[in-house]
Amino acid sequence: MNSNTGRTSSALPEGEIQQNELDGTRVIETDIPSRLDSLPWSGFHTRVVTALGITWILDGLEVTLAGALSGALKESPVLQFSNFDVGLANSAYLAGAVLGALGFGWLTDRIGRKKLFFITLALYLTATAATALSWSVASYALFRFLTGAGIGGEYTAINSTIQELVPARYRGWTDLVINGSFWIGAAMGAVASIVLLDPNVIGPDWGWRLAYLTGAGLGLVVFVMRMWIPESPRWLMIHGQPERAHEIVAEIERSVIGSKQEQRVWPKIKLKMRSHTPLGDVAHTLFTLYRQRSLVGLALMIAQAFFYNAIFFTYALVLTDFFGIASNQVGWYLLPFAAGNFLGPLLLGRLFDTLGRRAMITLTYGVSGVLLALSGYLFAIGVLSAQTQTIAWMVIFFFASPAASAAYLTVSETFPLEVRALAIALFYAIGTGIGGVAGPALLGALIDTGSRGSVFAGYLLGSGLMIAAAVIAWRYAIAAERQPLESVARPLAVVE
């Protein structure tokens, strides 16, 4: 314990953490949040977002392979998938992501961000490699479920860490671009599928297996990169480790600013330390204290989950069943699709920090919903070719990609630090469970009917959800742009 216990913070050396004993409870007064938010962008931040962003590349690779390989799985002499089997396996992946997010989200808030990085990544690596060895529909679905559990856990720990390490003025754009890096993985998966599914290169039952091993190999690289990332100082300062939090921040400052740091008085916050946050406090925070914010987060998550998963997991089936594209050529059509998805957050992301969250969330959700309805109608009446359908998807997802990323941004920055990871997990789980798990199976069944009108009905449902979410965001979204996390949502442990 600090020898200066009981003194005012002004009597302490600048930046030191004061600890007191009040009624048996440890209380600290710290300037850590202010110091982290004041830092300029640096190599440290670039390394952190690179090491964390690769997870989304992995997810993009996984999801793309699942979509691009659907034709190969149907043609596999061992598995012989039907369209329903493809949708079922994809839903198993999403179901695993839901349960993984909930379980690992709870652990992330309890034992820390950094430990979960390695647990969830190890699960992903093992399950992806096992998928390559699948011998039946059931085994394939099981391994996809476990892969999803690893990725779901990654979402919670990583979104929390991004919010807590990146300075406030860069938070929106950074979060959107990192989430948008999913589509770099999607492009990699598309290129890999073009090569690995070419019957002149690899046999029909080996290409898709090698594709999954590619993902496992990339994951090993990420495992090493994770060594660069420190534990979140914001998490440490509440969970009884203020000295370690101060050491990490001081080290970050030295790497960013150097030894000659500016001497100034930072705004401080007084916090009551705790080992964990009881689930009762979590429920009260989400459903009573911040009920309106929960409504916004839930609406955004459900809409984007259905919109994305229903369309993306089945795009290959649309191309093969309605446009006659060979399964080993589907990857070529994904490349422009992926480009639109990555360019959206990259080019529109800064507007979330300047024009603001509320305006941009409303715009991106509303525009993508309207464009899906319009393109769905053109698909239904048969005026689109495979090429024009791909262009339509590229334009739609230029707006839908930053919209989907903004859902994660909204949930991760508008709830208190103590419940941040579990809030991300809960809303991701509910949104994905309602919108994501049902979406691929529903669209797969509609495609199986062979009716363009039936598929159009599925697209209209996705469109309606996005437009409804836009209306809710316009009415209730929080203006969190450029604001410190502790101002957007005060920690539950704040002491007045």
Side-chain angles (χ1 to χ4, degrees):
M1 174 154 305
N2 194 298
S3 60
N4 291 297
T5 297
R7 300 182 186 178
T8 61
S9 59
S10 60
L12 296 172
E14 186 60 41
E16 188 173 337
I17 299 174
Q18 177 188 6
Q19 301 180 60
N20 296 313
E21 293 286 348
L22 299 178
D23 300 326
T25 302
R26 297 180 72 196
V27 175
I28 62 168
E29 188 171 16
T30 178
D31 55 11
I32 282 176
S34 301
R35 290 161 64 191
L36 288 172
D37 280 333
S38 72
L39 292 172
W41 191 268
S42 68
F44 165 77
H45 298 103
T46 301
R47 289 191 298 274
V48 167
V49 298
T50 300
L52 296 180
I54 289 183
T55 293
W56 272 257
I57 295 177
L58 284 174
D59 192 23
L61 181 65
E62 280 292 321
V63 174
T64 305
L65 289 176
L69 299 178
S70 58
L73 293 170
K74 290 163 64 177
E75 297 168 4
S76 168
V78 174
L79 300 184
Q80 298 179 342
F81 273 37
S82 66
N83 283 342
F84 176 78
D85 293 332
V86 171
L88 179 66
N90 290 333
S91 292
Y93 173 85
L94 291 170
V98 166
L99 294 178
L102 287 173
F104 291 125
W106 177 76
L107 283 174
T108 298
D109 277 332
R110 197 174 184 92
I111 69 174
R113 290 30 172 158
K114 187 175 177 67
K115 290 179 182 176
L116 265 295
F117 292 156
F118 296 100
I119 295 173
T120 54
L121 187 57
L123 176 58
Y124 163 81
L125 286 171
T126 304
T128 300
T131 303
L133 305 177
S134 300
W135 60 89
S136 66
V137 172
S139 64
Y140 180 89
L142 172 63
F143 296 141
R144 293 298 292 160
F145 173 87
L146 294 174
T147 303
I151 289 292
E154 290 271 285
Y155 272 83
T156 59
I158 290 172
N159 267 303
S160 300
T161 305
I162 291 170
Q163 298 296 325
E164 293 164 15
L165 287 178
V166 172
R169 59 192 179 280
Y170 305 113
R171 195 170 63 236
W173 181 78
T174 301
D175 196 273
L176 263 66
V177 169
I178 289 178
N179 279 281
S181 65
F182 173 101
W183 296 100
I184 298 175
M188 292 170 59
V191 173
S193 70
I194 292 169
V195 176
L196 296 173
L197 298 182
D198 187 342
N200 297 319
V201 177
I202 300 173
D205 204 42
W206 287 101
W208 65 268
R209 297 180 189 273
L210 291 175
Y212 282 118
L213 289 176
T214 301
L218 181 59
L220 288 174
V221 177
V222 180
F223 208 90
V224 175
M225 295 178 69
R226 291 283 170 86
M227 303 293 181
W228 304 340
I229 305 172
E231 180 57 90
S232 166
R234 282 178 156 107
W235 183 87
L236 289 169
M237 71 185 184
I238 284 182
H239 289 81
Q241 301 179 63
E243 296 87 356
R244 185 178 167 208
H246 175 65
E247 291 171 1
I248 290 174
V249 173
E251 186 175 340
I252 293 172
E253 288 173 332
R254 283 193 295 271
S255 70
V256 173
I257 304 171
S259 57
K260 296 182 179 179
Q261 298 181 30
E262 177 185 1
Q263 297 298 314
R264 55 177 290 189
V265 177
W266 302 102
K268 296 187 178 183
I269 185 171
K270 186 178 289 187
L271 301 166
K272 180 170 58 179
M273 288 186 286
R274 55 173 74 185
S275 62
H276 68 281
T277 301
L279 289 177
D281 288 358
V282 175
H284 175 75
T285 301
L286 297 180
F287 304 117
T288 301
L289 186 60
Y290 289 114
R291 183 184 303 132
Q292 183 172 296
R293 298 184 184 191
S294 295
L295 169 67
V296 175
L298 191 59
L300 297 181
M301 281 290 192
I302 291 174
Q304 67 85 24
F306 184 93
F307 191 91
Y308 254 95
N309 293 307
I311 296 172
F312 187 56
F313 273 125
T314 58
Y315 83 97
L317 298 179
V318 171
L319 290 173
T320 55
D321 290 18
F322 289 98
F323 295 107
I325 302 301
S327 61
N328 63 349
Q329 296 299 307
V330 166
W332 292 114
Y333 292 86
L334 180 64
L335 291 176
F337 185 83
N341 273 279
F342 181 65
L343 289 174
L346 185 66
L347 299 179
L348 300 180
R350 293 197 185 278
L351 297 178
F352 284 77
D353 286 325
T354 54
L355 292 181
R357 309 287 200 256
R358 190 162 154 262
M360 289 305 297
I361 292 172
T362 302
L363 175 68
T364 52
Y365 270 81
V367 169
S368 55
V370 170
L371 290 178
L372 178 63
L374 177 60
S375 69
Y377 173 72
L378 296 177
F379 168 79
I381 63 176
V383 301
L384 295 179
S385 64
Q387 291 74 25
T388 54
Q389 176 69 74
T390 301
I391 292 171
W393 279 334
M394 181 178 177
V395 175
I396 291 168
F397 285 92
F398 178 84
F399 294 97
S401 184
S405 297
Y408 293 97
L409 172 64
T410 299
V411 170
S412 59
E413 71 180 356
T414 56
F415 293 99
L417 185 149
E418 297 93 328
V419 302
R420 179 166 295 123
L422 193 52
I424 296 168
L426 182 63
F427 290 110
Y428 169 79
I430 295 174
T432 303
I434 295 174
V437 173
L442 173 62
L443 261 292
L446 293 176
I447 291 169
D448 267 342
T449 67
S451 166
R452 288 175 178 262
S454 296
V455 177
F456 176 41
Y459 288 161
L460 280 180
L461 176 57
S463 171
L465 289 172
M466 293 294 279
I467 293 172
V471 173
I472 292 172
W474 178 251
R475 178 67 179 84
Y476 298 113
I478 300 298
E481 57 274 6
R482 296 176 174 265
Q483 298 297 314
L485 291 173
E486 290 73 20
S487 297
V488 178
R490 292 201 315 165
L492 301 180
V494 162
V495 176
E496 299 294 346

